[in-house]
Amino acid sequence: MSLALAYSRARTGVHAPEVRVEVYLAPGLPALNVVGLPEAAVRESRDRVRAAIQCAQFQFPNRKITVNLAPADLPKDGGRFDLPIALGILAAAGEVSIEALAQVELLGELALTGELRAIDGVLPAALAAARAGRSIIVPTGNGAEVALAGEVEAYTARTLLEVVAHINGVKSLPVALPRTAEFERVNYPDLADVRGQLQARRALEIAAAGNHHLILIGPPGCGKTLLASRLPGLLPEASEAEALESAAIASVSGRGLDLDRWRLRAFRSPHHTASAVALVGGGAEPRPGEISLAHNGVLFLDELAEWDRRALEVLREPLESGVVTISRAARQSEFPARFQLVAAMNPCPCGWAGDPSGRCRCSLDTIQRYRARLSGPLLDRIDLHLAVPRLAPREMRGDAPRGEPTAPVRARVIAAREFQIRRAGKTNAQLSQSETERHCRLGDADQNLLERAMDALQLSARAMHRILRVARTIADLDSSEHIRTPHIAEAIGYRQLDLGLQASAA
């Protein structure tokens, strides 16, 4: 009996579960069968593996070969299992050391010539291999990506023959190395370019400091998109753990991982015609959507009222939980989706409701139908609601005073976030209910103020907790240990948008 075992990794969301490639050579008519829930690309590996072994000048076993990909109930797809299948066959035939093969994990698609081609989803597999205590061998094209995993012992190979020589101890493979060039430095747009809009700039600073969601409502050309584009420049640099999480999502997305920008926070701005699947992800082989690609970064939704309502409603659960689960008949995939939402919209179809010029001609019913495209539960999950007015002509003159630049605002944001991390280990927007009650306590007078505001504005319990978290962020920006009356009053002011819009429409 000839039996060999090789290790590899499947792709399930951003996870890389272990796959044991068991190869058995038995007497009988020559055949190669792959079992263990392989999809079409895996079944087709039979011909690729046969040709690659023969081109590498090895004798392909003239026996009945059974390849089992365990666990059998885990779907396997893609060409990532070509290399472990080939090594398993060679080990069962006595060409490769079975003991040495058990210490390494293998990933890679084989060309008919025996060359190795790059695959996607390598970074999660490298991180999993490091936790399992094994080294990993990948195609040369994946070397820089797998090197991001850091602690894993990773090697790169160009051909099947090189892998065999390495496992047999004849010639070692080169170690996977990260890019030698420095990471791309992005010059974010400067906040000083935003003229006027002092209240909007203040709200943007609060949103950046506490990682709060923000919606801007105002007429066309008032600077909503300009403000949103300045948010990434205010955020602190992503930690290595955050960057690796985001890089792992990009690795399995099928869109490729930009190794020069993997440390940068994502800024995703999908078009308003995007579908619900484009936002949350999906497909026969579940892939991450825009909200997962914006993980640890910013998701900007412009023209929010023009989005399909069904697409917007899928944001409800991820805004609360920070994850999205995609279920299919054969599998279930979970993707991280802890993003910061910034949305912008006009107050009415023509865009001028409430403007002092009185140019809006939309009826009250038209305005109400337009705003009804956004559900109450969705708006309830957005921390900061802000009306952005039209700028006066004098504020747009070339010699008009410029606003505060990005650098000092970013310094205040970073200082406020450091307070939050020392206090709770997370940003204020991520506080749980119990943590909110512990870290956002109010005095009796301020508690009464909040309760009166809840009655007047008809706010939910969720909105109350979000007001408390925003007030905590405002206090952090003020370097205050306790939430005081000006802090809670300002936080309440960012929840009055709906009533203000109704009054302006009337």
Side-chain angles (χ1 to χ4, degrees), residues 263-278:
R263 289 299 300 267
L264 302 178
R265 292 189 184 274
F267 181 81
R268 306 293 300 185
S269 180
H271 194 263
H272 69 266
T273 56
S275 65
V277 173

PDB file of all heavy atoms in Angstrom, residues 263-278:
ATOM      1  N   ARG A 263      -1.077  49.327   3.818  1.00  0.00           N
ATOM      2  CA  ARG A 263      -1.131  49.917   5.151  1.00  0.00           C
ATOM      3  C   ARG A 263      -2.099  51.103   5.229  1.00  0.00           C
ATOM      4  O   ARG A 263      -2.318  51.655   6.296  1.00  0.00           O
ATOM      5  CB  ARG A 263       0.265  50.388   5.585  1.00  0.00           C
ATOM      6  CG  ARG A 263       1.247  49.274   5.906  1.00  0.00           C
ATOM      7  CD  ARG A 263       0.762  48.406   7.050  1.00  0.00           C
ATOM      8  NE  ARG A 263       0.563  49.124   8.291  1.00  0.00           N
ATOM      9  CZ  ARG A 263       1.478  49.236   9.248  1.00  0.00           C
ATOM     10  NH1 ARG A 263       2.657  48.656   9.098  1.00  0.00           N
ATOM     11  NH2 ARG A 263       1.209  49.880  10.372  1.00  0.00           N
ATOM     12  N   LEU A 264      -2.645  51.529   4.088  1.00  0.00           N
ATOM     13  CA  LEU A 264      -3.533  52.687   4.067  1.00  0.00           C
ATOM     14  C   LEU A 264      -4.968  52.271   4.367  1.00  0.00           C
ATOM     15  O   LEU A 264      -5.419  51.202   3.957  1.00  0.00           O
ATOM     16  CB  LEU A 264      -3.476  53.378   2.704  1.00  0.00           C
ATOM     17  CG  LEU A 264      -2.091  53.869   2.241  1.00  0.00           C
ATOM     18  CD1 LEU A 264      -2.193  54.485   0.859  1.00  0.00           C
ATOM     19  CD2 LEU A 264      -1.519  54.872   3.234  1.00  0.00           C
ATOM     20  N   ARG A 265      -5.684  53.130   5.057  1.00  0.00           N
ATOM     21  CA  ARG A 265      -7.102  52.867   5.313  1.00  0.00           C
ATOM     22  C   ARG A 265      -7.876  53.001   3.997  1.00  0.00           C
ATOM     23  O   ARG A 265      -7.627  53.909   3.208  1.00  0.00           O
ATOM     24  CB  ARG A 265      -7.651  53.848   6.346  1.00  0.00           C
ATOM     25  CG  ARG A 265      -7.077  53.644   7.743  1.00  0.00           C
ATOM     26  CD  ARG A 265      -7.822  54.486   8.751  1.00  0.00           C
ATOM     27  NE  ARG A 265      -7.238  54.371  10.081  1.00  0.00           N
ATOM     28  CZ  ARG A 265      -7.541  53.428  10.969  1.00  0.00           C
ATOM     29  NH1 ARG A 265      -8.446  52.496  10.644  1.00  0.00           N
ATOM     30  NH2 ARG A 265      -6.978  53.383  12.152  1.00  0.00           N
ATOM     31  N   ALA A 266      -8.828  52.107   3.812  1.00  0.00           N
ATOM     32  CA  ALA A 266      -9.602  52.097   2.567  1.00  0.00           C
ATOM     33  C   ALA A 266     -10.571  53.269   2.534  1.00  0.00           C
ATOM     34  O   ALA A 266     -11.091  53.710   3.575  1.00  0.00           O
ATOM     35  CB  ALA A 266     -10.361  50.785   2.439  1.00  0.00           C
ATOM     36  N   PHE A 267     -10.816  53.771   1.339  1.00  0.00           N
ATOM     37  CA  PHE A 267     -11.873  54.769   1.108  1.00  0.00           C
ATOM     38  C   PHE A 267     -12.643  54.289  -0.111  1.00  0.00           C
ATOM     39  O   PHE A 267     -12.176  54.398  -1.240  1.00  0.00           O
ATOM     40  CB  PHE A 267     -11.287  56.163   0.872  1.00  0.00           C
ATOM     41  CG  PHE A 267     -12.347  57.218   0.659  1.00  0.00           C
ATOM     42  CD1 PHE A 267     -12.994  57.786   1.739  1.00  0.00           C
ATOM     43  CD2 PHE A 267     -12.702  57.635  -0.612  1.00  0.00           C
ATOM     44  CE1 PHE A 267     -13.980  58.763   1.558  1.00  0.00           C
ATOM     45  CE2 PHE A 267     -13.674  58.606  -0.813  1.00  0.00           C
ATOM     46  CZ  PHE A 267     -14.315  59.168   0.279  1.00  0.00           C
ATOM     47  N   ARG A 268     -13.816  53.720   0.119  1.00  0.00           N
ATOM     48  CA  ARG A 268     -14.628  53.152  -0.945  1.00  0.00           C
ATOM     49  C   ARG A 268     -15.796  54.084  -1.241  1.00  0.00           C
ATOM     50  O   ARG A 268     -16.463  54.575  -0.321  1.00  0.00           O
ATOM     51  CB  ARG A 268     -15.166  51.778  -0.553  1.00  0.00           C
ATOM     52  CG  ARG A 268     -14.117  50.782  -0.100  1.00  0.00           C
ATOM     53  CD  ARG A 268     -13.192  50.357  -1.191  1.00  0.00           C
ATOM     54  NE  ARG A 268     -13.893  49.710  -2.302  1.00  0.00           N
ATOM     55  CZ  ARG A 268     -13.264  49.166  -3.333  1.00  0.00           C
ATOM     56  NH1 ARG A 268     -11.940  49.202  -3.412  1.00  0.00           N
ATOM     57  NH2 ARG A 268     -13.952  48.601  -4.305  1.00  0.00           N
ATOM     58  N   SER A 269     -16.034  54.339  -2.523  1.00  0.00           N
ATOM     59  CA  SER A 269     -17.107  55.237  -2.934  1.00  0.00           C
ATOM     60  C   SER A 269     -17.873  54.629  -4.102  1.00  0.00           C
ATOM     61  O   SER A 269     -17.707  55.042  -5.253  1.00  0.00           O
ATOM     62  CB  SER A 269     -16.521  56.603  -3.318  1.00  0.00           C
ATOM     63  OG  SER A 269     -17.541  57.488  -3.719  1.00  0.00           O
ATOM     64  N   PRO A 270     -18.707  53.609  -3.850  1.00  0.00           N
ATOM     65  CA  PRO A 270     -19.450  52.966  -4.942  1.00  0.00           C
ATOM     66  C   PRO A 270     -20.503  53.903  -5.527  1.00  0.00           C
ATOM     67  O   PRO A 270     -20.996  54.815  -4.855  1.00  0.00           O
ATOM     68  CB  PRO A 270     -20.097  51.751  -4.267  1.00  0.00           C
ATOM     69  CG  PRO A 270     -20.205  52.146  -2.824  1.00  0.00           C
ATOM     70  CD  PRO A 270     -19.010  53.000  -2.543  1.00  0.00           C
ATOM     71  N   HIS A 271     -20.846  53.643  -6.788  1.00  0.00           N
ATOM     72  CA  HIS A 271     -21.873  54.436  -7.462  1.00  0.00           C
ATOM     73  C   HIS A 271     -23.245  54.103  -6.890  1.00  0.00           C
ATOM     74  O   HIS A 271     -23.488  52.984  -6.412  1.00  0.00           O
ATOM     75  CB  HIS A 271     -21.841  54.148  -8.974  1.00  0.00           C
ATOM     76  CG  HIS A 271     -22.611  55.132  -9.796  1.00  0.00           C
ATOM     77  ND1 HIS A 271     -23.900  54.902 -10.212  1.00  0.00           N
ATOM     78  CD2 HIS A 271     -22.277  56.359 -10.255  1.00  0.00           C
ATOM     79  CE1 HIS A 271     -24.326  55.939 -10.921  1.00  0.00           C
ATOM     80  NE2 HIS A 271     -23.362  56.834 -10.960  1.00  0.00           N
ATOM     81  N   HIS A 272     -24.164  55.069  -6.969  1.00  0.00           N
ATOM     82  CA  HIS A 272     -25.472  54.859  -6.338  1.00  0.00           C
ATOM     83  C   HIS A 272     -26.323  53.814  -7.055  1.00  0.00           C
ATOM     84  O   HIS A 272     -27.388  53.439  -6.541  1.00  0.00           O
ATOM     85  CB  HIS A 272     -26.242  56.186  -6.234  1.00  0.00           C
ATOM     86  CG  HIS A 272     -26.693  56.747  -7.548  1.00  0.00           C
ATOM     87  ND1 HIS A 272     -25.964  57.663  -8.266  1.00  0.00           N
ATOM     88  CD2 HIS A 272     -27.811  56.518  -8.280  1.00  0.00           C
ATOM     89  CE1 HIS A 272     -26.607  57.984  -9.369  1.00  0.00           C
ATOM     90  NE2 HIS A 272     -27.741  57.301  -9.401  1.00  0.00           N
ATOM     91  N   THR A 273     -25.902  53.339  -8.219  1.00  0.00           N
ATOM     92  CA  THR A 273     -26.634  52.268  -8.891  1.00  0.00           C
ATOM     93  C   THR A 273     -26.173  50.879  -8.452  1.00  0.00           C
ATOM     94  O   THR A 273     -26.677  49.878  -8.969  1.00  0.00           O
ATOM     95  CB  THR A 273     -26.476  52.393 -10.417  1.00  0.00           C
ATOM     96  OG1 THR A 273     -25.080  52.384 -10.748  1.00  0.00           O
ATOM     97  CG2 THR A 273     -27.102  53.679 -10.931  1.00  0.00           C
ATOM     98  N   ALA A 274     -25.222  50.805  -7.536  1.00  0.00           N
ATOM     99  CA  ALA A 274     -24.723  49.507  -7.077  1.00  0.00           C
ATOM    100  C   ALA A 274     -25.845  48.709  -6.409  1.00  0.00           C
ATOM    101  O   ALA A 274     -26.716  49.265  -5.746  1.00  0.00           O
ATOM    102  CB  ALA A 274     -23.563  49.693  -6.115  1.00  0.00           C
ATOM    103  N   SER A 275     -25.786  47.395  -6.557  1.00  0.00           N
ATOM    104  CA  SER A 275     -26.824  46.515  -6.016  1.00  0.00           C
ATOM    105  C   SER A 275     -26.502  46.140  -4.576  1.00  0.00           C
ATOM    106  O   SER A 275     -25.413  46.407  -4.055  1.00  0.00           O
ATOM    107  CB  SER A 275     -26.931  45.252  -6.867  1.00  0.00           C
ATOM    108  OG  SER A 275     -25.731  44.492  -6.765  1.00  0.00           O
ATOM    109  N   ALA A 276     -27.460  45.446  -3.964  1.00  0.00           N
ATOM    110  CA  ALA A 276     -27.243  44.964  -2.598  1.00  0.00           C
ATOM    111  C   ALA A 276     -26.098  43.966  -2.551  1.00  0.00           C
ATOM    112  O   ALA A 276     -25.305  43.948  -1.602  1.00  0.00           O
ATOM    113  CB  ALA A 276     -28.535  44.337  -2.063  1.00  0.00           C
ATOM    114  N   VAL A 277     -25.995  43.110  -3.575  1.00  0.00           N
ATOM    115  CA  VAL A 277     -24.901  42.135  -3.621  1.00  0.00           C
ATOM    116  C   VAL A 277     -23.562  42.837  -3.753  1.00  0.00           C
ATOM    117  O   VAL A 277     -22.568  42.429  -3.146  1.00  0.00           O
ATOM    118  CB  VAL A 277     -25.125  41.142  -4.777  1.00  0.00           C
ATOM    119  CG1 VAL A 277     -23.914  40.231  -4.957  1.00  0.00           C
ATOM    120  CG2 VAL A 277     -26.372  40.308  -4.534  1.00  0.00           C
ATOM    121  N   ALA A 278     -23.505  43.915  -4.532  1.00  0.00           N
ATOM    122  CA  ALA A 278     -22.252  44.666  -4.660  1.00  0.00           C
ATOM    123  C   ALA A 278     -21.842  45.273  -3.325  1.00  0.00           C
ATOM    124  O   ALA A 278     -20.648  45.388  -3.035  1.00  0.00           O
ATOM    125  CB  ALA A 278     -22.399  45.756  -5.716  1.00  0.00           C
TER     126      ALA A 278
END
